[in-house]
Amino acid sequence: MNQKIVDEKYHFIAVFNPQTGAYVRTGILNEQGWDTGVDPFRASFPHLIDVGIMGHCIHGKTGLCVKAGVGCYQSGLTVTQPNMLLDDFASIATQCRDRVNQFALGGRGDPDQHEHIEDILKLCRANNIVPNFTTSGYGFTADHVRMCREYCGAVAVSWYRNDYTLRTIRMLVEAGVKTNIHYVLGGNTIDEAISRLQTDDFPQGINALVLLLHKPVGLGTQKHVLTTGDPRVAELYGLIDRGNHRFKVGMDSCSVPGIINHCHNVIPQAIDPCEGARFSCYITPDMLLLPCSFDQPHKYGISLRKHSIEDAWNSEPFEAFRNIQATRCPACGKRANCLGGCPLLPEITLCDDEGKTI
């Protein structure tokens, strides 16, 4: 059964299908209840929350991410904190019951390695929230597969280019779990992405390949940041624009400026620019609410030990973040579809239009 959120404050309706993961929003509704076609800028409460249940990476000393060419943006090799307490997670889930559609479980390490992972997944379902998470697949077991099949909407496996990556994908696909691949797209990985997309060379049975733009945060380096002048960027987006892959191909919101500037067959209704502080947010293992998980300095952080999620969502720091989205690149005719790119890391914005004011 579809879940419906009626946002009376900002005058729109959102519908989420917990079986398929389909999510749609109306435009702003007028007094007669008709859709005006104007996208709502924000919600009165987040619809998706990225919950960082992991405070430390148990694989950190092995350097799995570095060996895989992935720079952990949460500095899992060097930063160690306690994992989120189960009572804290229960408080989050209770506040979000019937208000949030999905939790993306994450943090500094593989969420499936949390000491209370099954209890966490159960709490999600008990509060009508669909849990999803991303794993490297290292240490993934048959019991994890059972939990995924029983509780999760989808599971993403990070493309770590290793036997355990392929093994975990195979285990999940064979169990009938909706399985995606998360692929960090940077200067050091784009050639491989182009080659594999040209031949659809990813494991059989996956639901989608999701390309996540590399950010110079944590262990992510500036040298791997892609630029709009790189001819490989246009080639990659051309492959996405072509379609006809045997799996779905998606990109994160950070990639939207690139889609707008390089794709011709992607309709505007199929993309959503930066959702941070508008429809989504991040909660750290020690209970700070942030507009986005890439705010690693916690510039916009609000303590959930002192405030409710709703109060933090409506706080001055969150409004300051939204103000960047609302005012950047005012002269650009495309800004309604990209909001001027990333409010935190303007250098990753794949745009060189004349109207760009970043």
Side-chain angles (χ1 to χ4, degrees), residues 4-5 7 21 44 58 61 102 106 126 132 141 149 152 156 159 197 207 266 289 313 319 324 339-340 357:
K4 183 168 75 171
I5 296 175
D7 197 311
S44 56
I58 66 171
K61 293 182 180 179
Q102 301 182 74
N132 307 294
T141 67
R149 185 175 59 239
C152 294
W159 190 247
L197 275 172
N207 172 64
V266 178
L289 193 77
W313 179 255
E319 285 301 320
I324 298 173
L339 301 182
T357 58

Side-chain angles (χ1 to χ4, degrees), residues 33-320:
W34 292 98
D35 190 330
T36 62
V38 178
D39 285 343
F41 178 70
R42 57 164 295 190
S44 56
F45 198 83
H47 291 179
L48 181 148
I49 299 181
D50 187 355
V51 186
I53 63 173
M54 298 299 291
H56 60 276
C57 179
I58 66 171
H59 311 311
K61 293 182 180 179
T62 67
L64 293 181
C65 57
V66 174
K67 293 175 184 177
V70 177
C72 175
Y73 73 92
Q74 300 229 27
S75 302
L77 288 178
T78 57
V79 178
T80 300
Q81 295 178 338
N83 292 336
M84 181 176 284
L85 299 173
L86 187 59
D87 286 347
D88 284 342
F89 186 85
S91 170
I92 293 167
T94 301
Q95 292 182 66
C96 293
R97 182 181 177 88
D98 297 326
R99 305 187 75 181
V100 173
N101 297 318
Q102 301 182 74
F103 278 176
L105 305 178
R108 196 174 290 111
D110 289 335
D112 49 277
Q113 301 300 311
H114 193 284
E115 57 272 25
H116 298 297
I117 183 57
E118 186 158 16
D119 292 325
I120 285 171
L121 295 174
K122 287 179 178 178
L123 278 167
C124 290
R125 288 297 184 175
N127 287 281
N128 297 331
I129 299 164
V130 176
N132 307 294
F133 67 83
T134 304
T135 179
S136 73
Y138 193 87
F140 207 77
T141 67
D143 200 39
H144 289 119
V145 175
R146 174 193 61 79
M147 285 185 263
C148 294
R149 185 175 59 239
E150 188 169 349
Y151 302 110
C152 294
V155 175
V157 181
S158 295
W159 190 247
Y160 269 35
R161 304 166 178 83
N162 210 302
D163 290 344
Y164 55 80
T165 307
L166 299 174
R167 178 184 61 86
T168 300
I169 293 171
R170 184 170 61 251
M171 291 168 65
L172 290 166
V173 169
E174 289 178 353
V177 177
K178 184 177 287 187
T179 307
N180 300 328
I181 289 176
H182 278 184
Y183 187 109
V184 178
L185 187 68
N188 59 326
T189 63
I190 190 170
D191 290 327
E192 179 193 357
I194 290 170
S195 176
R196 289 185 181 276
L197 275 172
Q198 286 172 334
T199 57
D200 284 349
D201 184 24
F202 284 99
Q204 294 285 335
I206 63 168
N207 172 64
L209 170 70
V210 183
L211 301 169
L212 310 173
L213 201 60
H214 169 87
K215 290 91 174 172
V217 176
L219 301 181
T221 63
Q222 190 71 40
K223 70 178 181 179
H224 293 323
V225 172
L226 290 171
T227 62
T228 191
D230 187 332
R232 298 176 300 173
V233 170
E235 184 177 3
L236 177 85
Y237 278 101
L239 288 168
I240 296 169
D241 205 29
R242 182 196 72 190
N244 298 320
H245 302 285
R246 58 177 171 78
F247 43 78
K248 300 173 186 174
V249 179
M251 306 188 85
D252 58 6
S253 318
C254 315
S255 306
V256 165
I259 295 173
I260 293 171
N261 285 301
H262 293 285
C263 294
H264 305 287
N265 298 316
V266 178
I267 61 173
Q269 293 85 347
I271 59 177
D272 220 352
C274 177
E275 295 181 328
R278 301 194 310 121
F279 298 98
S280 67
C281 57
Y282 176 69
I283 300 177
T284 67
D286 55 351
M287 299 293 281
L288 284 178
L289 193 77
L290 303 171
C292 172
S293 61
F294 290 100
D295 178 17
Q296 287 298 298
H298 300 169
K299 178 180 178 180
Y300 299 94
I302 300 293
S303 173
L304 296 182
R305 302 203 187 283
K306 298 178 181 179
H307 304 276
S308 68
I309 293 175
E310 185 163 14
D311 286 345
W313 179 255
N314 292 305
S315 65
E316 289 186 9
F318 269 61
E319 285 301 320

